[in-house]
Every structure is written in C-alpha cells, then in structure tokens.
Amino acid sequence: MKTLDDVMICPECNGDDCYKYSTDETEFGIDGKGHYYIDCHCNRCGKNFRLCTEFEYSITKAYTR
C-alpha cells in the first residue's frame, strides 16, 4: 500500500522533501473509489506542483455522536 509520502515526489528534481500547503479537492465515491488533489512545495528546488491521486477506500468504523 502506498502512502502520500510515497508519491509526493517533485516532478522537477525527483526530490522527496516536499510538503502539502493546500488541498484543492477531495472526493469519495459511493463505489469505494476517490481522488485527492494536493498542492505541494518542494523544499529541495522550490517548485510548486499539484499532486493528483486516485485511491480506493474502505470504511473501518462508523459511529454517530
């Protein structure tokens, strides 16, 4: 299973010293699939880029308060 840290790689320098500074869109479909668009910054070369991810999810717990 990949995590966001595994895929948050700068497209300019291939550096992995990146951080998320904004989330543009997150969507969870009823079919267990979704997408997550993240605005990132590379500390190594200074490039800003958008990371677009697609994922499958499963609900591990549901409760009300």
Side-chain angles (χ1 to χ4, degrees), residues 1-9 16 18 20 36 38 40 49 51-56:
M1 175 173 69
K2 290 184 180 181
T3 67
L4 291 177
D5 286 339
D6 295 329
V7 296
M8 197 178 305
I9 305 297
D16 63 356
C18 303
K20 173 184 84 168
Y36 184 36
I38 310 160
C40 305
F49 61 96
L51 174 64
C52 302
T53 65
E54 296 179 357
F55 59 88
E56 295 181 6

Side-chain angles (χ1 to χ4, degrees), residues 4 6 12-13 15 23-24 26 33 48 50 56-57 59-60 65:
L4 291 177
D6 295 329
E12 184 73 22
C13 71
T23 299
D24 181 54
T26 305
K33 296 180 181 178
N48 292 331
R50 174 159 292 171
E56 295 181 6
Y57 68 90
I59 297 173
T60 59
R65 297 195 282 172

